[in-house]
Amino acid sequence: MKSVVISGSGLFTPSQVITNEELVASYNQYVDLYNAEQADAIAAGEMPALEHSSCEFIEKASGIKARYVLYKDGILNPAVMRPVFDRRSEDQMPEMVEMALHAAREAMAQANKTAGDIDLIICAASNMQRPYPALSIELQQQLGATGYAFDMNVACSSATFAISNAVNAIRGGTAKVVLVVNPEFASPQVNYRSRDSHFIFGDVCTATIIEAEDSCTSNNAFRIKGMSLKTEFSNNIRCDVGYTEHCLPVDPQVPFFKQQGRKVFKELLPIVADVILTEMAVQQVAPEQLKRLWLHQANINMNIFAAKKILGRDPLPEEAPLVLDTYANTASAGSVIAFHKYKQGISSGEHAILCSFGAGYSVGCLILQKC
Ligand code: CO8
């Protein structure tokens, strides 16, 4: 079987930051206005008063301190509470393609690849800004690449599932060098009026270059030694927005991400641990051989729990790096950000794990070995 590597990675980080303090202040202003407006109904017991959000809760429950967003202003305005931006015209790149272009260029430079080398582009993310033409095909044109391109979505596992598709395309002979991009433009899907979820997501884009080991000239490449993917249906992380929306009665909750966070926590972790430990056994990689765990970044407590299950002890911070504090949950990009920022200091032959987990449920585990 052909040996395939990740030969480069790239990251686009938006320039605008929202701290917990800013987010909570705007949410609490919204709550005060709402409770004042509904004072009579609340006093009559017809509806409950809304409660304030708190920075202490957010940091303790999730590990999130801030998030990057493409459009900050509308989000923090208690009368708006959504990112405000115009639909771009047909001759302008949509945000997701623009983000992907930046991340792609960094990944290509790391991998010593030009657009002429890339013959497959996969755009994999939790949301697509439009169904067609595929965003990946517009990116292909922007880069000046040839071959073919397609979009795909497995929510938080979009990146790992796309890397697995890339490996299979290379092994099957339909591609030689694959660019995978994960533009997670998450903020439009966040309900900033929901105390339970207003703090969870940030915007970002990651990119990776996947190619056969024999064509790789990068000095920081990782062999994809094992891959294991698993899905199991659950309604506990869900978004119902779709192309039929305009035919249906308007439901103000539909466009938003929603989840049963506690249930996700309880149900998903055993699946994650099982997928990772089984693949480690298949690849004959023992816990003490693992130099790093680049895990999905949804919740600090979840990451520590998963790392403990894998290593059989508490992880050192550098063994299971977190980017949640500054990036928040960035859906499929999270584990790739951790990989991109913390892939130094691993010697040839040493092993590491890149693993996503989230909606679906879906789990994607890659066992990597430094070339
Ligand atoms: N401020 C203060 N208090 C709060 C707040 C707040 N903002 N929110 C909730 N509380 C209160 C609750 O009311 C509750 O109070 P009480 O005990 O009196 O009822 C208390 O705090 C505890 O609430 P929870 O039980 O909900 O709190 P948790 O400790 O479970 O933490 C989390 C909530 C952080 C959401 C946690 O459950 C979590 O992170 N779970 C894991 C979820 C997860 O991994 N999800 C993955 C989703 S990402 C994904 O798959 C991609 C989806 C597609 C991307 C879409 C892009 C937008």
Side-chain angles (χ1 to χ4, degrees), residues 317-328:
E318 60 273 23
E319 285 179 313
L322 290 164
V323 300
L324 261 170
D325 52 347
T326 48
Y327 282 86

Side-chain angles (χ1 to χ4, degrees), residues 24 27 51-55 57-58 61-62 126-127 155-157 184-190 194-201 237-239 257 259-265 268 296 298-299 301-302 329 331-332 357-360 362:
V24 165
Y27 179 85
E51 292 177 66
H52 276 182
S53 181
S54 106
C55 296
F57 168 83
I58 295 170
S62 70
S126 303
N127 290 288
C156 285
S157 288
E184 292 289 3
F185 185 18
S187 54
Q189 220 204 336
V190 175
S194 159
R195 179 171 173 259
D196 290 344
S197 59
H198 74 124
F199 56 89
I200 295 181
F201 290 100
I237 314 169
R238 193 169 169 116
C239 170
F257 160 91
Q259 72 167 355
Q260 303 290 328
R262 283 269 150 191
K263 282 193 182 164
V264 174
F265 207 113
L268 196 50
H296 181 57
N299 180 296
N301 304 310
M302 221 165 166
N329 182 340
S332 75
F357 33 92
S362 59

Side-chain angles (χ1 to χ4, degrees), residues 226-242:
M227 304 189 290
S228 180
L229 313 179
K230 187 172 173 71
T231 52
E232 206 174 291
F233 185 70
S234 167
N235 279 320
N236 289 330
I237 314 169
R238 193 169 169 116
C239 170
D240 287 300
V241 75

Side-chain angles (χ1 to χ4, degrees), residues 13-14 18 30 48 65 129 137 184 191 198 206 211 219 242 246 264 274 283 298 318 332 346 356 360 363 370:
T13 303
I18 299 180
Y30 155 73
K65 295 180 188 166
Q129 249 176 305
I137 301 178
E184 292 289 3
N191 185 355
H198 74 124
T206 50
E211 61 178 311
N219 57 11
H246 68 290
V264 174
D274 182 55
Q283 299 302 331
E318 60 273 23
S332 75
I346 301 180
S356 66
V363 179
K370 181 76 192 282

